[in-house]
Amino acid sequence: MSIRPAPLGILIFTPHRDVRRAIFDALDLDGDFVLLSARDATQLEALLEDAPPLHVVVVGAEGDPEIVRGLRILRACDRYASLPAVHVVDDRPGVAPAGGADWLRQGAIATELAQRVRQAVTTSLVPVVPVASARDYRFAFDAGAAWVVASIPQGCILETGEAMDRLCAGDGPAQGRLLAEVFHPAGGAAWPLPDGDAIACTLRRRDGMEIVGEIDVRHRTDDGEHRIAVGFRDLRATDMASRALSLLAVLEGCPSDDEGIGEAAALIADALDLDAFAVWSALPESEMGPSLITHLYNGPTPVEWPSPDGLPLLRTCLGGATLSRLVEGDDTASSDPLVDLLGLVSFAFMPLLDERRNVIGAMLAGRRRQGSDGRVLSLALRAATARFASALELRRAREQGRVRGLIDTLTGLPNRLLFNDRLDTTIREAERTGELFAILLVDLDRFKGINESLGHAVGDQVLDAVARRLRASVRASDTVSRFAGDEFTLILRHIIKRDDVLRIAEKVVQAMEVPLALDDGSELQVTVSVGIAFFPDDANRGEVLLRHADEAMYGAKSLGRNNYQLYAADTGVAQRQSAELKARLRHAVRNDELRVFYQPQVAAASEDIVGMEALVRWEHPELGMISPAFFIPLAEASGLIVPLGEWVLRTACAQAKAWDDRFGLRLRLGVNLSAVQLMQPDLAGVVASALRDSGLPPELLELEVTESISVKTVPRLVETLDALHALGCQIAIDDFGTGAASLDYLRRLPADRIKIDQSFVRNIGVDPDDEAIVKATIDVAHQLKRAVVAEGVEIEQHLQFLRSNGCEELQGYLFCRPLPVASFDKLLGERERLVGDGTQDRPAFRA
Ligand code: C2E
Ligand code: MG
Ligand code: MG
């Protein structure tokens, strides 16, 4: 039996898509990690309801209010209270997070993250230092929180964190002051406050300045001394940050022509309380020099904006430098005619860069007064530069009439710029005409691995081939574009039914299933994960649609890749219902609500019983019998399938042994295994123990592995199946024909039997193509020395066809439905009676 470590559960928690993507790429290694991702606190909360096994959380957004909230929710769950965290921080120098958590810069994700994550797990095996005895009170709060520790009962501040020192800048650290002087809880509550979270509170600096915020309070003992730790959150910044974030979302909705740039500028100036704002275009290839595209000024008197030539700070900025005097301590020279003219006290000139990092323009934002939100402002402005830069780029491409700038050279598809532009246009048209459309985000699975192991030349071939397959999967009127690296985006227009889109998504996934022929004659299998969002149902703004499609795409990845998922807008009812069911399911085993039914399998020639398949049912006290097709996916998503599957296995083995002892028929017992079970490192051990405990001879147990998901998504599948074989069990490939169905897989997998999926059997006598598939499957399976069972045999015609084409075993309603133990027992008893009293030699076995 192969022993390998169980995959580590990693929670990726970041609102930034680029960061998420980089993290995914770095950790998406074969089977080492199970990746779950959440973008905001609401999503995180929904995800935690399943109580997934997590080993590390990777956080990407220092100080983002949603993330702070999410982390608080996470820490409030007992099971994750001490989950180790690795923080990914901005690449700027000097931005190291306060707090005890491990961190690394964005630029180091690819090279270091996987190792850091493993390290974090190893270190956490030593129990995480309980806050109570830690000298480092930063553990008590979210990384980056401003904290102080004070003595009790005096309330004298003994120690302060860096963030607190920053808050009190110019005022000296708060050490030596009393809690009651510094923190003024709302409602006049007196210190020492009891433990509690998010209590509204004003922080009063020595210089009298007041900062509105919230505190969390923790009482601790430290070397026997009673201490009180107080974490403070500056809500001015949070408020500003949330305004800035929503602003950026709104900006994405502005068209990228000059009018749109002006619109965006007005929104920015308004939302960020700016007195002046301007954008210049300065294309390196243009002989005209910089030109002012848009400008706004809110001063006491209107001003005439000077020509760019006489503005030294603008010049320096166009040379690539950011010149900022937003935060106290920034020492950018201020002798500039424009700054003086506008009377700006705090301001920033920021260069606008194209995709190749060439300066193509500059942006100025300024105020006529000093604000205390400089840090957040500077972040919001930096994000806005990306928006203006892409507008300038598009403008350039349009002006120069150059198609080249809008087409991806490798694949010949529209690039991200042109896609965004088309999406804008499509939305505007759809708003007028009321049309429905969908966007699909198609992401190659594990592309990074291909690039790294086979080289970029092969990577390019793959991208090109994928582009062609995508193009071939859609109508001419649909847009396919290369959005970034290995991500493609599709706009499917004029949708009448959602199902049509699902069919196309299915087609896209399937289009990848034929291996790619590489230039050197070898073959390569790639798969894709697809996320789908609909206009206007899921969102009516391009950027939000894309974000939703992206989320759905990550959903598809988490479900094992190689599939598509719809954006689930409804975090409400449906999710709550399934969350409730999941919660109940957790207790179903203990509450004795699960049943195993058994469905006979018969020999095609004699129609006598040769085996049975164990099929689980859930007898819900209120909802009645629930089908496994419904609850198995729930159990898989939450990891519950592991104990549930083991219970089915043990129950069925014990039952089969009892029947074997009584009737001596040596019936084969089929038990279904989920992909999640196949990923458990000790699966063979569990099976061995079930066999040992029940006494069932191993050769009577057949484990059914679903073809569609297992083959590509379960790492080391072949080794796992070999280990099961080594126990003496048999292996069947279930639902054959619905997944990759590649003969090569069939050859490679150590299977004894294949089970032809009922969707093909159902079409016998209806669809000649499916008949041909059934026939070919039987032939090929026999050539490869695999036995064949057909599922879903419902009518005589199916039986005749299958029998005459050499299929040796059958399962289906024609013979018998799945039965509870007592009925199955009766059936076997009846058979014995018939054979026993010689009525029949081998009775036709039909229930
Ligand atoms: P499956 O393994 O392909 O099981 C065959 C399914 O076809 C069963 O559905 C069975 O009731 C149904 N069936 C059998 N004969 C006929 C027929 O003539 N016509 C039609 N229309 N259907 C027929 P069931 O019991 O609802 O199970 C659905 C699926 O749930 C199973 O498909 C299997 O993938 C999964 N499942 C069931 N029990 C377990 C379990 O214990 N563990 C795991 N991991 N999966 C299970
Ligand atoms: Mg099955
Ligand atoms: Mg099946």
Side-chain angles (χ1 to χ4, degrees), residues 601 613-615 670-673 704-706 734-735 755 791 811:
Q601 295 171 334
E613 177 172 5
L615 294 160
V671 175
N672 293 285
L673 288 182
E704 298 193 2
V705 178
T706 309
D734 205 351
D735 307 331
K755 300 188 74 180
E791 291 188 299
Q811 178 180 346

Side-chain angles (χ1 to χ4, degrees), residues 374-385:
R375 237 167 257 282
V376 186
L377 183 59
S378 126
L379 287 175
L381 288 174
R382 263 187 333 125
T385 55

Side-chain angles (χ1 to χ4, degrees), residues 10 15 55 115 151 178 209 343 356 386 396 455 459 486 516 527 541 555 603 624 656 701 730 768 776 790 794 832:
I10 313 292
H55 299 87
Q115 191 206 344
S151 64
L178 294 179
M209 176 169 168
R356 274 178 237 92
R396 158 161 83 180
D486 61 340
L516 299 174
T527 61
R541 293 212 320 270
L701 178 62
Q730 305 192 42
E794 290 185 353
E832 187 168 60

Side-chain angles (χ1 to χ4, degrees), residues 357-497:
R357 317 289 298 161
N358 297 319
V359 179
I360 54 170
M363 183 179 106
L364 164 69
R367 286 180 181 155
R368 297 168 46 78
R369 66 202 145 75
Q370 190 68 51
S372 56
D373 54 0
R375 237 167 257 282
V376 186
L377 183 59
S378 126
L379 287 175
L381 288 174
R382 263 187 333 125
T385 55
R387 174 70 183 71
F388 287 104
S390 89
L392 287 189
E393 252 190 295
L394 201 60
R395 189 174 183 276
R396 158 161 83 180
R398 280 213 197 89
E399 257 174 18
Q400 300 177 342
R402 255 202 336 193
V403 172
R404 245 182 329 128
L406 298 175
I407 296 293
D408 173 50
T409 40
L410 175 64
T411 59
L413 294 177
N415 64 15
R416 180 197 286 247
L417 278 176
L418 186 54
F419 172 82
N420 284 335
D421 195 45
R422 291 225 180 132
L423 184 57
D424 280 351
T425 318
T426 310
I427 289 179
R428 263 179 276 165
E429 275 179 35
E431 274 167 351
R432 257 202 328 274
T433 60
E435 95 171 63
L436 293 184
F437 72 88
I439 68 172
L440 268 59
L441 203 144
V442 179
D443 188 283
L444 266 68
D445 297 326
R446 302 203 169 108
F447 179 69
K448 194 168 153 262
I450 296 179
N451 249 342
E452 276 171 8
S453 56
L454 303 175
H456 287 265
V458 171
D460 284 355
Q461 283 179 47
V462 169
L463 290 171
D464 189 36
V466 167
R468 272 182 278 121
R469 288 186 184 184
L470 287 177
R471 225 3 313 164
S473 310
V474 301
R475 299 161 300 185
S477 58
D478 297 327
T479 297
V480 178
S481 70
R482 177 156 175 227
F483 197 67
D486 61 340
E487 274 179 312
F488 296 84
T489 36
L490 279 60
I491 306 180
L492 307 181
R493 300 202 50 178
H494 309 294
I495 299 304
I496 297 169
K497 291 199 314 279

Side-chain angles (χ1 to χ4, degrees), residues 84 111 174 251 397-398 792:
T111 48
L251 281 189
R398 280 213 197 89

Side-chain angles (χ1 to χ4, degrees), residues 609-612 656 659-661 663-669 696-700:
I609 184 168
V610 289
M612 63 222 159
W659 281 326
D660 197 48
D661 286 349
F663 299 104
L665 290 174
R666 300 203 45 86
L667 298 181
R668 195 178 61 229
L669 167 72
L696 183 73
E699 64 276 15
L700 293 189

Side-chain angles (χ1 to χ4, degrees), residues 596 599 613-617 627-632 636 641 644-645 648-649 671-675 677 704 706 734-735 755 757-758 762 791-794 811-814 816-818:
V596 182
Q599 184 177 33
E613 177 172 5
L615 294 160
V616 68
R617 300 282 179 272
S627 147
F630 179 76
F631 72 85
I632 294 283
E636 283 177 329
I641 187 70
L644 191 154
V648 172
L649 177 72
V671 175
N672 293 285
L673 288 182
S674 141
Q677 287 172 279
E704 298 193 2
T706 309
D734 205 351
D735 307 331
K755 300 188 74 180
D757 190 64
Q758 33 181 293
R762 194 179 308 129
E791 291 188 299
V793 180
E794 290 185 353
Q811 178 180 346
Y813 296 168
L814 177 64
C816 189
R817 288 182 180 260

